Structures are given as C-alpha cells and as structure tokens.
Amino acid sequence: MDTDKKVLIVEGKTDREKVRKLLDEPVEIICTHGTISFTKLEELIESIEHRDIYILVDEDDAGHKLRKILKRELPNARHLYTQSIYKEVAETPLMYLAKILLNANFEINRSYLLNGGAT
C-alpha cells in the first residue's frame, strides 16, 4: 500500500461519490456509514496511521459525534468542514466543496472551480 497516498474519511456513500468526482488525484476515500465500531476503528487506524489523513463529515449531531471520536483516535488528521447551512457533505454545492478540498491541497478537476461545475 502506498504510504504517501492521501486518505479522506467521510460518512456516507453519497459523500464519497460527490467528493470522488471532484478529485483529480488518487485518494483513498473511506466511508464510515455514519458510525464506526471500536473494532473497525482500530483496524482503520492500523491501516492508515502513517498516511496523510483528512476528515470531512456532516455538520450535524452525528457528524460532530463522529468527528470527536476521530479527533481522539487520529490526532494528526486534518479536519475539513462544510458550512453548517448545508449540514451534509452531500448537500454542499460542488463548487464550495471543491474549494474546501483545494484549500487542503487536494488536486481538483478545475472545471468545478472555473464555471461552478454541475451539481
């Protein structure tokens, strides 16, 4: 496994698909399906702990709870945030989501920055 590869942790499959279409570089996107068991979390940490880890979860109660757990277990991860007006990553406009990722040094398909891209 490539230890230099970026890892992005999201909550749902819809989040993963939305982010995937924006990225213009290989990134492993891990979906927690909203929650994560202690056993799965331990397995996850072992498999990614030496990589660049980014966390992008919803701005709702479930997302805040998951982020708190991930902050404790992955203290070196970089946290990315959507605006609370969108609440969910899946509901965040593509252009805004592209800017969040670009600001975190992800390579983005430029069409989403130049003309707003499609939703």
Side-chain angles (χ1 to χ4, degrees):
M1 186 167 290
D2 183 4
T3 57
D4 295 328
K5 190 173 167 185
K6 294 175 184 171
V7 175
L8 179 64
I9 299 173
V10 297
E11 285 182 79
K13 288 192 274 185
T14 309
D15 302 338
R16 180 175 55 203
E17 296 310 313
K18 190 162 190 175
V19 169
R20 182 174 282 144
K21 74 165 101 175
L22 293 171
L23 295 171
D24 203 20
E25 68 176 299
V27 175
E28 182 178 357
I29 304 173
I30 296 171
C31 183
T32 67
H33 304 287
T35 59
I36 191 164
S37 71
F38 181 75
T39 303
K40 293 241 186 226
L41 181 60
E42 288 299 312
E43 291 171 5
L44 173 65
I45 291 168
E46 286 179 26
S47 70
I48 66 172
E49 64 186 341
H50 298 296
R51 296 166 67 191
D52 291 333
I53 304 166
Y54 298 82
I55 298 168
L56 177 61
V57 296
D58 296 345
E59 283 298 312
D60 59 12
D61 289 340
H64 293 174
K65 183 178 178 183
L66 179 59
R67 187 180 297 278
K68 185 176 179 180
I69 292 166
L70 294 173
K71 274 185 179 181
R72 183 180 64 237
E73 299 299 326
L74 295 165
N76 295 324
R78 181 165 175 197
H79 290 264
L80 310 177
Y81 298 85
T82 188
Q83 290 186 359
S84 58
I85 60 168
Y86 303 127
K87 291 195 191 317
E88 299 177 7
V89 172
E91 296 300 318
T92 303
L94 285 171
M95 188 172 176
Y96 185 76
L97 198 52
K99 288 179 181 180
I100 292 169
L101 295 167
L102 186 65
N103 287 338
N105 298 313
F106 284 88
E107 292 177 29
I108 301 298
N109 179 330
R110 294 288 175 173
S111 66
Y112 289 102
L113 298 172
L114 298 176
N115 62 21
T119 53

